[in-house]
Amino acid sequence: MPYKVFSSLQSITKRLKTSNFVRNVAMVGGGIAAGQAIALAFMPFLTRLYGPESFGIAAAFAAIVNIITPISTMGYANAIVMPESDRDAAAVARLSILCGLIIAPLSLILVHVGKPWLAVWTGMEKAPQMLYLIPLTLVIGAFLSVTNQSAIRASLFKAKARAYVESKLFTDTSKLIGGIIAPSELLLILLTIIGQFTNFLMQMLRVPRTGVLKISNWFGTDGVRNAAIEQRDFAIYRMPQSVLNAASLGLPTILLTSLFSASSAGQYSVAVLVLGAPVMLLGSSVGEVFYPKITRAITAKSPSAYKLLFKVSAILFAVGLIPFGTMMIFGEYLFSIIFGQEWVVAGNYSQWLSIWLLSNLVTGASVATLPALGLQRFLLIREVFSVILRATALYVGFKFFESDVIAIALFSIVGFLLSLSIVYVAFRHLFKNSKDWKLIYDNESI
């Protein structure tokens, strides 16, 4: 019996070593792990140089940008992996860049008109001019989105991972040096924007300039109209869904800044940054490799698609339970020791946020499955309810309990329940489809 178990383990290990999927996940995961390791290594120094208020203002600015960033490409950048031919994919890339170049000037007008309100929401009443950086951020974000999705399409995971690591190292080193010389929220914002541009630049220096990755193919109008029509689901459903998702995630930062203080928002942003490391490491690396793999399986109507989703989700839960379980129990103590006594509130937040972020990690595989199943509409509807329910949870915490900790607790519980809804829908549809596909497969075999 022990021999059989050992032999089985050896067989599994051998298959994992030779699996392209596992290799690609490890490659992307290694890059993201290195990037997150850099961020976490610098964080104890940065939190002592800048303080909660500076982090809060920078986080509120980032929340506003993240909410409107999906609009910059109208969601079309995510569709670059969908077309079968590089020619059609290049048309989608052109469409994405064109949207970005149109949206950025429009955002400049909106920033100018809405500056008084945006300044209050982001805590920038003393320096509202910083808000004029938003259009620049959107342009850089559009190019970076196209680059990322084009690299994923071409399976250039190594180049993508290296670019990410280099940009993180450059950004955090610059923040450390700047914090020693003249720390400020403006510096944090500027260096974050420069870091995005560095990511784009480093990535383009490492990929072959052919097909979708040839920059000259990103400009013009050839095939743009057809691409907009063929991939319209991404604009109709994916873009609003991404905006609403970013809005629901950014609500705590914005509301903590406007209703309590920028310092409270800073505590939250650091907690999410630290806890988000496992989510970004595993969720992004698995998602980027899993998305095209599950898409091909569903498109080919493979009966194994259901088992693939179950296997990946189970692995994500098992691995994520270790870091998040630790934070649920010791979060307050660990934050005060690692980041300083003034960050004990962030530790308090982390104990509740761990519940939501663990479920969010597991949900990543299911989210990647829904577009191929034609369930973009469900994602959009779900995000509408997500914003409403999360805003309600925060309002109840602020208004009736007058406690930021209770508000974050309610926000996290709602997030956990919303994550379960996605997992349920993905497995339900895929299980039903898998049974139908198996019947077709068996009949064809006969």
Side-chain angles (χ1 to χ4, degrees):
M1 183 68 178
Y3 174 76
K4 289 183 178 180
V5 173
F6 180 73
S7 179
S8 177
L9 287 174
Q10 275 190 321
S11 177
I12 293 172
T13 303
K14 186 176 180 180
R15 285 201 301 270
L16 289 175
K17 285 181 178 179
T18 57
S19 169
N20 286 330
F21 176 74
V22 172
R23 231 183 354 253
N24 288 335
V25 168
M27 196 176 295
V28 177
I32 296 176
Q36 291 302 304
I38 291 170
L40 294 176
F42 277 89
M43 190 55 64
F45 303 101
L46 298 179
T47 52
R48 288 171 171 83
L49 290 172
Y50 290 93
E53 185 174 355
S54 293
F55 271 101
I57 292 173
F61 177 89
I64 296 293
V65 169
N66 289 338
I67 290 171
I68 60 178
T69 291
I71 303 175
S72 64
T73 64
M74 296 299 292
Y76 282 116
N78 293 302
I80 290 174
V81 300
M82 299 298 288
E84 292 185 8
S85 70
D86 282 347
R87 181 180 178 182
D88 291 338
V92 178
R94 281 192 292 276
L95 175 61
S96 303
I97 296 296
L98 183 62
C99 289
L101 295 177
I102 293 173
I103 296 297
L106 294 177
S107 69
L108 180 61
I109 298 172
L110 293 176
V111 166
H112 183 72
V113 174
K115 187 168 60 175
W117 298 280
L118 289 173
V120 173
W121 294 342
T122 56
M124 294 182 181
E125 296 97 327
K126 297 179 182 177
Q129 294 79 12
M130 287 193 292
L131 293 168
Y132 287 111
L133 292 171
I134 289 176
L136 174 63
T137 305
L138 293 181
V139 172
I140 295 174
F143 277 91
L144 183 58
S145 295
V146 171
T147 306
N148 283 334
Q149 295 302 317
S150 298
I152 291 171
R153 176 184 174 83
S155 299
L156 298 172
F157 300 109
K158 183 177 181 180
K160 189 175 182 300
R162 288 187 64 180
Y164 174 74
V165 172
E166 289 167 351
S167 65
K168 285 295 295 180
L169 182 59
F170 170 80
T171 302
D172 288 343
T173 301
S174 300
K175 286 179 180 179
L176 180 61
I177 295 172
I180 295 172
I181 299 172
S184 70
E185 54 272 12
L186 174 59
L187 184 63
L188 284 176
I189 293 170
L190 281 173
L191 290 175
T192 299
I193 295 173
I194 294 172
Q196 283 189 312
F197 179 74
T198 303
N199 189 354
F200 162 74
L201 188 62
M202 292 296 100
Q203 199 167 158
M204 291 308 301
L205 289 174
R206 285 195 167 83
V207 297
R209 294 185 181 84
T210 58
V212 188
L213 287 161
K214 189 176 181 180
I215 296 182
S216 61
N217 286 338
W218 294 359
F219 298 95
T221 58
D222 183 34
V224 164
R225 185 174 179 276
N226 288 337
I229 295 172
E230 290 176 4
Q231 307 298 338
R232 60 185 178 276
D233 279 3
F234 284 84
I236 297 172
Y237 299 120
R238 187 65 175 266
M239 185 271 290
Q241 180 261 326
S242 298
V243 170
L244 290 170
N245 181 56
S248 64
L249 296 178
L251 275 175
T253 302
I254 295 171
L255 290 177
L256 284 168
T257 302
S258 58
L259 298 179
F260 281 89
S261 66
S263 178
S264 296
Q267 299 276 358
Y268 172 82
S269 68
V270 169
V272 170
L273 181 65
V274 173
L275 293 177
V279 176
M280 188 171 183
L281 167 60
L282 291 170
S284 297
S285 57
V286 171
E288 289 178 3
V289 180
F290 180 71
Y291 179 37
K293 188 178 181 69
I294 193 66
T295 298
R296 286 193 294 269
I298 293 173
T299 302
K301 297 185 177 181
S302 170
S304 64
Y306 177 83
K307 292 181 180 179
L308 177 62
L309 176 60
F310 180 82
K311 180 180 179 181
V312 172
S313 298
I315 291 172
L316 288 173
F317 176 76
V319 175
L321 191 60
I322 299 172
F324 289 118
T326 301
M327 281 298 174
M328 287 178 200
I329 302 172
F330 304 108
E332 186 175 348
Y333 173 76
L334 291 174
F335 267 76
S336 62
I337 294 295
I338 297 172
F339 303 109
Q341 193 60 39
E342 63 178 336
W343 294 95
V344 67
V345 176
N348 243 336
Y349 291 168
S350 72
Q351 293 176 297
W352 288 103
L353 290 170
S354 294
I355 299 172
W356 161 51
L357 289 173
L358 174 58
S359 65
N360 194 48
L361 171 63
V362 177
T363 305
S366 295
V367 171
T369 303
L370 296 184
L373 290 171
L375 295 173
Q376 301 263 46
R377 185 170 177 269
F378 164 75
L379 277 175
L380 175 58
I381 295 172
R382 182 258 184 193
E383 287 304 333
V384 171
F385 280 101
S386 173
V387 171
I388 295 172
L389 292 174
R390 284 174 172 171
T392 301
L394 291 168
Y395 179 78
V396 170
F398 290 134
K399 186 70 176 179
F400 296 99
F401 295 95
E402 297 182 351
S403 168
D404 52 337
V405 175
I406 292 178
I408 295 301
L410 294 173
F411 175 85
S412 300
I413 292 170
V414 167
F416 169 75
L417 295 175
L418 289 167
S419 294
L420 288 184
S421 71
I422 289 184
V423 173
Y424 170 76
V425 169
F427 273 97
R428 180 169 171 266
H429 279 77
L430 200 54
F431 180 68
K432 179 180 179 299
N433 289 349
S434 293
K435 290 197 297 183
D436 295 339
W437 297 338
K438 190 176 187 301
L439 287 173
I440 294 171
Y441 177 79
D442 290 341
N443 289 334
E444 288 179 349
S445 297
I446 293 171

